[in-house]
Amino acid sequence: KQEVTQIPAALSVPEGENLVLNCSFTDSAIYNLQWFRQDPGKGLTSLLLIQSSQREQTSGRLNASLDKSSGRSTLYIAASQPGDSATYLCAVRDNDMRFGAGTRLTVKP
Amino acid sequence: EAGVTQSPTHLIKTRGQQATLRCSPISGHTSVYWYQQALGLGLQFLLWYDEGEERNRGNFPPRFSGRQFPNYSSELNVNALELEDSALYLCASSTPLGNTEAFFGQGTRLTVV
């Protein structure tokens, strides 16, 4: 059974900092890995999708990498802004879609 | 193009009653996933439907059930409601191939009193 872990559980940084969120998974036989953000009480917004054959994906200030063999993904956020404050979740797709518990990010002005 | 839609937005039920939650996927998506997110907790996988069939279910009791219709919309039914069933219920849709993004609806907030 796939287990997904996200570290750290919470992170607080001043505006403008670059930061890295980590996601690890136990079974490397995946189709893809997807990063989402969730604002309090809301649904999830898709940020980036990395196919199992890819190493990284970029969208604006976001860059996600995937090392399938070691069961790890990172989400890099450049020049963080207060609007980036949210919970960030990674999801691994194999026979279904399993989530980590998320990293709660606070960017202080 | 319409996104994933869920109804109702909010639902208040009494303990012991039944709740029915609905999800309409994005056009062209045949897979629907259901998740439970209790307050302050992560997403717990409930059910995965594709092409009308239940493909997998999480560690939830049988009183959590559902179905998928020929138009790929889906229902989640929760019988014999308990107070701890109070949560945000989220559904996502995708193609089954695993090579496309999954998209989420805004969720149904179920409150059991």
Side-chain angles (χ1 to χ4, degrees):
Chain A
K1 177 188 156 188
Q2 183 75 263
E3 301 284 344
V4 184
T5 304
Q6 290 188 246
I7 294 173
L11 183 62
S12 181
V13 299
E15 182 177 4
E17 272 205 6
N18 303 323
L19 55 100
V20 175
L21 308 181
N22 298 289
C23 173
S24 62
F25 48 96
T26 54
D27 187 345
S28 62
I30 64 170
Y31 292 122
N32 64 46
L33 185 145
Q34 194 169 351
W35 283 93
F36 296 86
R37 71 172 276 168
Q38 185 178 31
D39 294 291
K42 305 292 186 182
L44 278 65
T45 300
S46 177
L47 297 173
L48 287 165
L49 172 74
I50 310 178
Q51 302 292 350
S52 62
S53 58
Q54 297 175 320
R55 298 283 294 183
E56 65 179 283
Q57 281 288 335
T58 298
S59 176
R61 295 182 294 108
L62 305 179
N63 176 276
S65 67
L66 175 65
D67 184 342
K68 202 173 69 163
S69 61
S70 67
R72 293 179 184 177
S73 176
T74 61
L75 179 66
Y76 175 82
I77 302 176
S80 58
Q81 302 171 358
D84 295 332
S85 297
T87 296
Y88 290 80
L89 297 146
C90 69
V92 172
R93 188 103 170 259
D94 46 33
N95 289 321
D96 47 55
M97 186 165 57
R98 301 282 172 153
F99 282 80
T103 294
R104 189 172 66 253
L105 173 66
T106 303
V107 181
K108 296 176 286 188
Chain B
E1 180 184 336
V4 179
T5 57
Q6 291 187 245
S7 63
T9 304
H10 294 87
L11 189 59
I12 300 175
K13 291 286 187 179
T14 302
R15 190 170 54 183
Q17 285 188 317
Q18 178 195 39
T20 298
L21 289 62
R22 296 179 177 83
C23 175
S24 293
I26 289 172
S27 177
H29 286 185
T30 62
S31 277
V32 172
Y33 302 82
W34 286 97
Y35 296 87
Q36 180 195 67
Q37 188 176 37
L39 192 63
L41 297 180
L43 273 75
Q44 301 300 312
F45 170 70
L46 271 164
L47 291 159
W48 171 32
Y49 290 96
D50 182 65
E51 295 284 357
E53 300 286 331
E54 181 181 301
R55 300 297 183 183
N56 204 1
R57 73 179 282 130
N59 294 326
F60 281 84
R63 59 190 186 82
F64 287 84
S65 66
R67 54 180 172 166
Q68 187 177 35
F69 299 98
N71 66 354
Y72 304 119
S73 66
S74 177
E75 270 182 6
L76 174 68
N77 295 293
V78 188
N79 294 319
L81 284 165
E82 301 177 1
L83 297 178
E84 51 265 36
D85 296 333
S86 295
L88 181 66
Y89 289 83
L90 293 162
C91 84
S93 77
S94 179
T95 65
L97 300 177
N99 60 353
T100 57
E101 286 179 273
F103 293 94
F104 276 80
Q106 287 303 300
T108 292
R109 172 73 63 186
L110 173 64
T111 302
V112 182
V113 297

